[in-house]
């Protein structure tokens, strides 16, 4: 049995120490606090002005402006609450369909095993098929795969989030000045913007994980790999410690099954399709719930961009860790004895820690329920 190189041992140690980024972990909580506190914004502003007598005439002007602002925020929040789905039964077929269609269009376009193989051959690596990459030293893989995914996909998602924030809250930017909520977007526009943005975020997540899978020598079009990709997205988007732990537990069990060559005869396309459909619906609700800050007037655009950046950043991080771990375990099964694959959601001082309200999603449970293998 071969031994890992020094480079691979260092990489293994880094995998064992993996923690989520503070900014990514804190943003969901900031988003929830922003939404919960938005309705109190006008009241607090008024109280502040009243507590500073030297403000003089500015107090009365501030009271009027703050009152208008509070009314606009409440109106916007009410529209979001009325328009957004409260549960699985309320998540309309058009929104879920939009998500599935976008994932299908974005996730696989341009991802080619041949392209990755050509990159390695240009480096002088002796590979002729995708699986040959898994025989290489991890250092050789890292030389070819680059770091573009770490910023490209988050940047694309941030643009979408900022655009969604503008659609959802942009027309409310002038509401405090005009003194009414009539300019607020309709419930239909809000739902469309949230659903469309969630669709693109999920599509970009699928594509980024698929690209990283190829870079480590795994074909994202393989049925078993599609299940693994969904588990990685689940881990990358989970906000609470409980949801994150459950998602990485799924990844660990899937990794063990794949490394040990567990048979997947029952995992046909229809089973994967059922799992993907349910997963898209659950992720649509998760992404929408986590990004309600897009609806807050004035800051919705910035929050939308920041939230989407952090989401894709988390997905890319989770993909790199999951595939590096799997790559190393497949080559060096003896490393499993030193495996402690527990991911910690990092708090960010001053930004608010992650909440425990994030819904736990188990891709393995969905796989079992759809007629696939039971890996629990």
């Amino acid at each position: 049995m071969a031994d890992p190189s020094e480079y691979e041992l260092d990489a293994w140690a880094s995998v064992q120490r993996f923690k989520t980024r503070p900014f990514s972990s804190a943003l969901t909580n900031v988003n929830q606090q922003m939404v919960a506190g938005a309705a109190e914004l006008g009241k607090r502003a008024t109280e502040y002005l009243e507590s500073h007598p030297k403000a003089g005439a500015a107090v009365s002007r501030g009271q009027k402006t703050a009152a208008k602002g509070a009314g606009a925020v409440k109106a916007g929040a009410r529209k979001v609450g009325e328009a957004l789905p409260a549960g699985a039964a309320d998540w309309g077929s058009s929104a879920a369909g939009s998500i599935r269609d976008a994932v299908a269009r974005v996730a696989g376009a341009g991802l080619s095993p041949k392209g990755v193989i050509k990159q390695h051959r240009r480096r002088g690596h002796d590979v002729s098929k995708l699986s040959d990459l898994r025989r290489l030293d991890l250092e050789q893989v890292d030389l070819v795969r680059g770091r573009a995914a770490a910023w490209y996909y988050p940047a694309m998602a941030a643009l979408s989030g900022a655009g969604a924030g503008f659609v959802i809250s942009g027309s409310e930017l002038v509401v405090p000045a005009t003194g009414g909520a009539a300019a607020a977007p309709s419930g239909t526009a809000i739902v469309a913007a949230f659903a469309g943005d969630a669709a693109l975020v999920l599509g970009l997540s699928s594509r980024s994980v698929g690209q990283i899978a190829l870079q480590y020598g795994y074909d994202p079009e393989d049925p078993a790999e599609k299940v693994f990709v969904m588990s990685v997205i689940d881990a990358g988007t989970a906000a609470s410690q409980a949801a994150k732990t459950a998602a990485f537990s799924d990844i660990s069990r899937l990794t063990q099954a794949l490394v040990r060559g567990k048979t997947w005869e029952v995992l046909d396309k229809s089973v994967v399709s059922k799992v993907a459909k349910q997963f898209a619906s659950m992720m649509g609700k998760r992404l929408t719930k986590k990004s309600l800050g897009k609806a807050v007037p004035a800051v919705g655009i910035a929050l939308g961009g920041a939230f989407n950046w952090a989401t894709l950043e988390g997905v890319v991080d989770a993909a790199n860790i999951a595939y590096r771990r799997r790559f190393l375990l497949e080559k060096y099964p003896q490393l499993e004895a030193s495996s402690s694959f527990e991911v910690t959601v990092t708090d960010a001082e001053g930004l608010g820690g992650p909440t425990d309200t994030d819904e736990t999603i188990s891709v393995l449970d969905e796989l079992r329920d759809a007629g696939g293998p039971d890996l629990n």
Side-chain angles (χ1 to χ4, degrees):
M1 185 179 294
D3 292 323
S5 67
E6 184 176 347
Y7 184 92
E8 289 174 322
L9 286 174
D10 287 343
W12 179 253
S14 295
V15 168
Q16 303 301 94
R17 296 192 301 266
F18 176 65
K19 293 184 178 182
T20 60
R21 303 193 194 199
F23 176 70
S24 299
S25 302
L27 192 59
T28 296
N29 195 56
V30 171
N31 165 75
Q32 292 176 349
Q33 290 177 346
M34 182 70 72
V35 174
E40 299 296 321
L41 180 62
K43 178 181 177 181
R44 292 178 183 176
T46 299
E47 290 175 349
Y48 176 82
L49 288 172
E50 289 177 338
S51 67
H52 291 72
K54 293 183 180 180
V59 172
S60 59
R61 292 196 300 270
Q63 286 177 323
K64 293 177 181 179
T65 301
K68 291 177 181 179
V73 171
K74 290 178 181 178
R78 185 170 58 252
K79 280 182 175 290
V80 174
E82 293 171 351
L84 290 177
D90 298 320
W91 183 256
S93 59
S94 60
S98 172
I99 291 174
R100 291 195 300 272
D101 292 344
V103 170
R105 288 194 302 270
V106 176
L111 296 183
S112 169
K114 292 181 179 179
V116 177
I117 294 170
K118 286 181 180 179
Q119 288 179 315
H120 278 275
R121 290 179 70 87
R122 283 197 294 267
R123 286 274 186 174
H125 300 161
D126 183 19
V127 296
S128 59
K129 57 183 183 296
L130 189 63
S131 60
D132 289 342
L133 272 62
R134 305 203 292 269
R135 295 188 289 101
L136 301 175
D137 189 280
L138 183 61
E139 188 171 12
Q140 294 174 295
V141 172
D142 284 351
L143 284 173
V144 172
R145 73 182 185 91
R147 303 292 179 183
W151 61 267
Y152 175 77
Y153 290 108
M156 293 291 290
L159 288 174
S160 173
F166 177 78
V167 172
I168 296 165
S169 70
S171 59
E172 295 185 15
L173 292 175
V174 297
V175 171
T178 58
S186 67
T188 301
I190 291 173
V191 169
F194 270 117
D197 185 56
L200 187 59
V201 168
L202 185 52
L204 288 172
S205 296
S206 299
R207 181 179 174 81
S208 64
V209 178
Q211 179 176 321
I212 291 170
L214 286 173
Q215 292 167 344
Y216 285 96
Y218 301 96
D219 187 356
E221 290 303 310
D222 182 79
E225 208 59 50
K226 289 182 178 180
V227 177
F228 196 85
V229 166
M230 284 185 275
S231 294
V232 171
I233 296 172
D234 179 20
T237 58
S240 70
Q241 182 66 64
K244 187 78 72 175
T245 298
F248 274 99
S249 178
D250 273 6
I251 291 175
S252 184
R253 286 196 290 271
L254 270 171
T255 297
Q256 292 172 7
L258 293 167
V259 167
R260 293 170 183 173
K262 197 163 186 173
T263 56
W264 298 84
E265 287 86 354
V266 295
L267 195 61
D268 57 25
K269 292 183 178 179
S270 64
V271 171
V272 175
S273 178
K274 289 179 184 177
V275 176
K277 181 178 180 180
Q278 182 62 19
F279 180 74
S281 178
M282 292 187 295
M283 286 301 302
K285 290 194 286 290
R286 171 185 277 181
L287 293 172
T288 298
K289 180 180 178 182
K290 287 172 60 179
S291 62
L292 287 175
K294 295 185 180 83
V296 178
V299 298
I301 298 172
L303 275 180
F307 168 77
N308 283 10
W309 177 286
T311 298
L312 262 293
E313 190 176 68
V315 169
V316 170
D317 284 351
N320 277 320
I321 288 298
Y323 277 104
R324 286 174 87 77
R325 180 176 183 272
R326 181 174 160 193
F327 177 93
L328 291 169
L329 280 176
E330 185 172 309
K331 286 181 66 180
Y332 313 109
Q334 67 269 31
L335 290 176
E336 189 168 5
S338 62
S339 178
S340 58
F341 198 38
E342 297 181 1
V343 178
T344 302
V345 176
T346 308
D347 191 7
E349 186 177 354
L351 293 178
T355 67
D356 293 323
T357 60
D358 194 20
E359 180 182 359
T360 298
I361 297 173
S362 175
V363 174
L364 293 190
D365 286 349
E366 298 303 324
L367 178 64
R368 179 200 60 216
D369 295 344
D374 186 355
L375 301 179
N376 290 310

